[in-house]
Amino acid sequence: MSSAESQQEQLSQSDPSPSPNSCSSFELLDMDAGSLYEPVSPHWFYCKIIDSKETWIPFNSEDSQQLEEAYGSGKNCDGRVVPTDGGRYDVHLGERMRYAVYWDELASEVRRCTWFYKGDKDNKYVPYSESFSQVLEETYMLAVTLDEWKKKLESPNREIIILHNPKLMVHYQPVAGSDEWGSTPTEQGRPRTVKRGVENISVDIHCGEPLQIDHLVFVVHGIGPACDLRFRSIVQCVNDFRSVSLNLLQTHFKKAQENQQIGRVEFLPVNWHSPLHSTGVDVDLQRITLPSINRLRHFTNDTILDVFFYNSPTYCQTIVDTVASEMNRIYTLFLQRNPDFKGGVSIAGHSLGSLILFDILTNQKDSLGDMDNEKDAPNIVMDQGDTLTLEEDLKKLQLSEFFSVFEKEKVDKEALALCTDKDLQEMGIPLGPRKKILNHFRTRKNLMDINRPTLQPASGVTVSNIPKESGVCSKTDATGNGDYLHVGIGQVSVKYPRLIYKPEIFFAFGSPIGMFLTVRGLKRIDPNYKFPTCKGFFNIYHPFDPVAYRIEPMVVPGVEFEPMLIPHHKGRKRMHLELREGLTRMSMDLKNNLLGSLRMAWKSFTRAPYPALQASETTEETEAECESSPEKLSDVNTEETSVAVKEEVPPINVGMLNGGQRIDYVLQEKPIESFNEYLFALQSHLCYWESEDTVLLVLKEIYQTQGIFLDQPLQ
């Protein structure tokens, strides 16, 4: 047996061949010895640090082709910039570096790859440097052309590569200490497989993304820098969300794609955690943090305290400014890079991020005219304190002539906030000034009252602080008598920035908005209230999410109804839910039949047979039983009631916050999650990034605004 054959046998034992289904099976199609030489097809890769290890990731096929065309154009590559990954990254060809466009991220090395060797532990192939790959390719070309093999090369790292034949090429790493006495490296240690061309290695190369962008969605994260159980950043989680959306577009909007009606939806992350914690607050916290249980305290300072930061006027201002300015900056940059973009913009927030967006949207102005109309009644949201006197406030409202009236009646600012419209009328104040004074001083009083939470006015949202017998709180009550106070939704007193666009839809994932509004003192949202600049609002949550709360009961407090069930992306309910409903129906039927049989047997045993009276007696007795045991009646009619509720879902009026549509949407839990709700509680709060059902609902609502619908409407 020749040395080459023995070497091949050793290699086959130490490095088992891949399965026929893998991409490595292409090596069987490699050229035979003596065949004509064909140049290798290069593919472009970039390097990312994942778990403290360098990982080489291939560009998608379209990006790699664009990079190769730019490389082979013959022009100077030093100043050449090629956009990749849907325009989210730029590759500076001369530097061989890849830079993120819309967010801060470490630059990645880029390489034109032709030759690879198998790595140490993960069995992934690592590309050789471009210069050494060129040397390998030239050696390979000579070997094929002259049919002379067993070529040995030494890499710059003193590694040995031996080309035995087209099907057997191995790589030896230098053994530590082998060159202490000046000796040359030899073939020692375990050989590694060497492959030529990306088609011979097992790697997933995706197709490119559609060039046409139909809609832009900004995604705002919640507390902490990590957004899932794998401690990944918002950028990585949004990448998953985007990938799921691209797959669903191919499966659920196939007809629209074939007709070239749609392209794709772009999702861009918005990071506010890093700017907040770069203000120096972490250094201040570290000085007062106890040294015990260090990791837990560090986790608390880095994550949970973000909730308290948002309730602090100082840091709340930093957070809302960062979120709004980032979305405005990214939007402007996006339009510069995509001048043909004609689509709309939506926003999505996870956890605390949804509350931040809710507060920002509540304080938007519909147009510049709204800003002018409020000159007569200054916006309390813009105020940072209450340092003006009553006379200065009246002067600001251009009502200085009425100061003498209040001075005569000994009415100060606090007393004025308690005055009703009737009180001011008795003082002789005309209707117009009365309305201005009531709107300004009553809301100011609610802001500065130390006995109540800090609440701020937002048009259309009302709360009953002085309950009425009817218990109804509406917008007209706030402007009528003094029984109802129009106090808004109670955000922290900061200056809320303005967005330079009008979002079409606001998606909230695992949102605590309802809880925060309730804690702020808001008991009810006016059904007529809607965001000034946003038409749609969807509150999406997992049933086991411990952070999520509903919104609809705050709009319709007197009616109990279930949230909308989000359909499974395959077009039906999950199997275990159908099984559960089937078992429930079966048990109810058995219970009803058993109760009916026992009832009839007891009647026949205790009652004399009077056929003429039996029907009336049975009716009377049945009515009496129903009155005496309403619990039985509710048990018997549980399924009928649930069916009736489902049938009555469309007529339920949940206000205008989502344009008259339903607001609360609940996901279907997975079968394994239904076994233990507590075990999967945390995971449920972080499940939205890879949830096909969530992404499909987002795509469905976005494309409905453009008149494009699913191929098969969800059941």
Side-chain angles (χ1 to χ4, degrees):
M1 181 182 295
S2 64
S3 60
E5 292 174 346
S6 62
Q7 187 73 44
Q8 184 174 5
E9 184 178 354
Q10 293 176 6
L11 180 62
S12 62
Q13 293 175 357
S14 59
D15 185 21
S17 60
S19 62
N21 296 328
S22 67
C23 296
S24 296
S25 60
F26 282 96
E27 69 181 49
L28 299 178
L29 303 177
D30 204 350
M31 64 186 70
D32 294 330
S35 62
L36 296 177
Y37 167 77
E38 294 182 3
V40 64
S41 298
H43 195 92
W44 291 75
F45 283 64
Y46 63 93
C47 181
K48 292 207 69 174
I49 306 298
I50 301 177
D51 296 332
S52 302
K53 295 187 299 184
E54 289 188 354
T55 302
W56 286 91
I57 303 173
F59 285 96
N60 63 59
S61 54
E62 290 187 5
D63 289 344
S64 179
Q65 184 177 355
Q66 288 184 357
L67 290 168
E68 184 63 21
E69 290 176 357
Y71 172 81
S73 62
K75 299 179 181 179
N76 186 10
C77 294
D78 290 342
R80 195 71 181 269
V81 177
V82 180
T84 60
D85 297 277
R88 296 181 296 275
Y89 290 88
D90 281 342
V91 172
H92 293 235
L93 209 57
E95 302 177 22
R96 293 292 198 272
M97 297 297 289
R98 173 178 177 264
Y99 297 93
V101 173
Y102 298 107
W103 56 83
D104 292 331
E105 183 179 310
L106 292 176
S108 304
E109 181 186 352
V110 174
R111 188 174 293 179
R112 181 177 181 266
C113 305
T114 52
W115 286 76
F116 307 84
Y117 67 93
K118 185 169 287 189
D120 288 328
K121 299 178 181 178
D122 52 8
N123 285 332
K124 292 183 178 179
Y125 282 90
V126 180
Y128 289 103
S129 65
E130 293 186 32
S131 58
F132 188 66
S133 294
Q134 186 174 357
V135 174
L136 284 170
E137 183 65 19
E138 292 173 355
T139 305
Y140 181 86
M141 179 184 65
L142 291 174
V144 171
T145 305
L146 303 176
D147 196 17
E148 296 179 358
W149 293 94
K150 295 184 181 179
K151 299 286 186 180
K152 181 185 294 187
L153 295 90
E154 181 179 345
S155 72
N157 298 329
R158 299 185 62 79
E159 298 169 337
I160 297 299
I161 294 91
I162 301 178
L163 309 183
H164 291 287
N165 56 60
K167 297 181 180 179
L168 179 59
M169 296 174 284
V170 292
H171 171 117
Y172 295 94
Q173 275 192 323
V175 178
S178 61
D179 58 342
E180 289 181 357
W181 302 99
S183 59
T184 58
T186 57
E187 303 92 50
Q188 300 180 15
R190 182 176 179 270
R192 300 183 184 183
T193 307
V194 175
K195 295 292 183 181
R196 175 180 179 266
V198 71
E199 66 274 7
N200 290 325
I201 64 174
S202 55
V203 63
D204 294 328
I205 300 177
H206 302 284
C207 298
E209 302 175 14
L211 296 178
Q212 176 185 338
I213 300 177
D214 306 315
H215 204 87
L216 176 62
V217 180
F218 294 112
V219 184
V220 180
H221 65 86
I223 62 172
C227 296
D228 67 354
L229 291 177
R230 287 175 280 177
F231 298 98
R232 297 186 304 166
S233 66
I234 180 65
V235 173
Q236 294 171 304
C237 291
V238 172
N239 286 344
D240 278 349
F241 203 88
R242 188 186 305 107
S243 298
V244 174
S245 73
L246 291 173
N247 293 333
L248 290 175
L249 285 176
Q250 296 176 358
T251 56
H252 290 71
F253 293 86
K254 191 173 182 179
K255 292 182 180 178
Q257 278 196 336
E258 291 176 350
N259 297 332
Q260 296 183 347
Q261 293 178 289
I262 63 173
R264 64 183 175 92
V265 177
E266 180 63 281
F267 298 90
L268 296 179
V270 177
N271 180 17
W272 56 265
H273 182 271
S274 299
L276 170 66
H277 288 263
S278 63
T279 59
V281 65
D282 287 352
V283 178
D284 298 334
L285 284 173
Q286 190 60 36
R287 288 200 300 264
I288 61 175
T289 301
L290 301 182
S292 59
I293 52 174
N294 183 50
R295 291 185 179 180
L296 180 58
R297 296 188 192 278
H298 176 74
F299 173 79
T300 301
N301 291 347
D302 211 30
T303 56
I304 301 176
L305 286 189
D306 286 348
V307 178
F308 299 98
F309 285 141
Y310 189 66
N311 287 321
S312 161
T314 301
Y315 295 107
C316 179
Q317 187 70 64
T318 301
I319 293 173
V320 296
D321 285 346
T322 301
V323 171
S325 63
E326 272 295 287
M327 290 196 294
N328 288 340
R329 180 190 66 83
I330 296 174
Y331 180 68
T332 303
L333 181 59
F334 178 83
L335 292 182
Q336 293 174 358
R337 296 175 62 89
N338 300 273
D340 297 329
F341 176 72
K342 304 297 181 183
V345 184
S346 294
I347 56 178
H350 176 243
S351 190
L352 182 62
S354 64
L355 177 66
I356 298 170
L357 293 176
F358 186 89
D359 289 344
I360 291 176
L361 287 179
T362 304
N363 288 275
Q364 295 300 294
K365 305 302 173 187
D366 190 15
S367 64
L368 292 175
D370 292 339
M371 300 290 289
D372 298 334
N373 293 336
E374 294 197 354
K375 290 180 180 178
D376 295 335
N379 186 10
I380 304 302
V381 175
M382 312 298 285
D383 293 338
Q384 297 289 341
D386 188 23
T387 59
L388 300 180
T389 63
L390 176 59
E391 185 177 6
E392 291 171 338
D393 276 326
L394 289 173
K395 185 177 181 181
K396 193 175 181 180
L397 292 173
Q398 299 179 354
L399 300 174
S400 301
E401 65 269 22
F402 299 106
F403 176 71
S404 59
V405 178
F406 295 124
E407 192 176 26
K408 181 181 178 181
E409 297 290 338
K410 295 183 178 181
V411 175
D412 58 8
K413 293 175 67 173
E414 185 176 355
L416 188 55
L418 299 174
C419 291
T420 64
D421 185 78
K422 186 177 181 181
D423 295 332
L424 296 179
Q425 186 177 3
E426 291 176 353
M427 294 182 198
I429 309 296
L431 177 62
R434 286 205 309 267
K435 295 300 181 183
K436 289 184 180 181
I437 293 171
L438 285 174
N439 179 66
H440 180 77
F441 288 98
R442 186 178 295 163
T443 52
R444 175 67 63 87
K445 191 265 178 187
N446 281 278
L447 270 175
M448 305 309 298
D449 193 343
I450 60 173
N451 295 322
R452 294 180 183 177
T454 304
L455 301 177
Q456 297 177 2
S459 175
V461 187
T462 56
V463 57
S464 174
N465 284 320
I466 306 178
K468 208 174 185 179
E469 289 183 2
S470 64
V472 178
C473 176
S474 65
K475 206 155 79 171
T476 55
D477 293 328
T479 57
N481 54 44
D483 292 339
Y484 289 86
L485 301 180
H486 179 197
V487 298
I489 64 170
Q491 301 107 316
V492 178
S493 180
V494 299
K495 181 178 179 180
Y496 286 90
R498 187 177 182 185
L499 302 177
I500 60 177
Y501 54 86
K502 294 183 179 181
E504 294 193 9
I505 307 177
F506 168 34
F507 299 98
F509 306 139
S511 172
I513 291 175
M515 181 269 291
F516 270 86
L517 295 183
T518 303
V519 170
R520 289 169 176 175
L522 187 69
K523 296 183 178 180
R524 181 183 175 187
I525 299 176
D526 193 327
N528 295 321
Y529 174 72
K530 57 184 178 181
F531 295 123
T533 59
C534 185
K535 300 177 182 178
F537 175 37
F538 290 85
N539 183 37
I540 303 169
Y541 61 91
H542 191 283
F544 302 157
D545 190 340
V547 181
Y549 290 81
R550 292 192 63 182
I551 298 293
E552 291 173 340
M554 298 189 70
V555 183
V556 192
V559 181
E560 292 187 5
F561 53 94
E562 295 295 323
M564 292 292 289
L565 185 67
I566 299 177
H568 192 261
H569 63 283
K570 293 185 178 179
R572 57 180 296 169
K573 287 186 179 179
R574 293 185 182 272
M575 188 63 67
H576 71 287
L577 295 180
E578 292 185 348
L579 179 61
R580 182 191 303 169
E581 291 180 358
L583 291 175
T584 302
R585 284 194 296 268
M586 185 175 66
S587 63
M588 294 303 300
D589 292 341
L590 290 175
K591 183 178 180 181
N592 294 341
N593 293 336
L594 180 60
L595 289 175
S597 301
L598 292 175
R599 188 180 298 117
M600 293 301 295
W602 177 254
K603 290 176 184 176
S604 63
F605 178 74
T606 57
R607 186 174 58 244
Y610 296 118
L613 303 177
Q614 187 173 0
S616 61
E617 287 178 356
T618 303
T619 304
E620 293 173 1
E621 191 169 345
T622 303
E623 291 176 355
E625 288 179 358
C626 291
E627 292 176 0
S628 61
S629 62
E631 297 164 353
K632 294 182 180 180
L633 181 63
S634 63
D635 288 340
V636 172
N637 294 330
T638 299
E639 184 64 25
E640 296 178 2
T641 304
S642 64
V643 173
V645 169
K646 290 180 181 179
E647 293 176 353
E648 294 176 359
V649 165
I652 291 178
N653 181 14
V654 293
M656 298 305 297
L657 197 55
N658 191 23
Q661 300 183 62
R662 295 292 301 274
I663 300 172
D664 293 335
Y665 288 79
V666 60
L667 291 166
Q668 302 177 39
E669 71 272 17
K670 297 178 181 178
I672 191 174
E673 295 173 342
S674 61
F675 288 110
N676 193 321
E677 299 178 2
Y678 296 94
L679 184 62
F680 292 94
L682 179 59
Q683 178 178 328
S684 300
H685 183 58
L686 306 172
C687 72
Y688 306 98
W689 308 115
E690 299 179 1
S691 169
E692 293 94 341
D693 300 346
T694 301
V695 178
L696 187 58
L697 176 63
V698 171
L699 294 176
K700 171 177 168 286
E701 296 300 330
I702 286 176
Y703 278 111
Q704 275 188 359
T705 63
Q706 303 178 16
I708 298 173
F709 302 92
L710 294 169
D711 292 343
Q712 296 180 351
L714 298 178
Q715 300 292 325

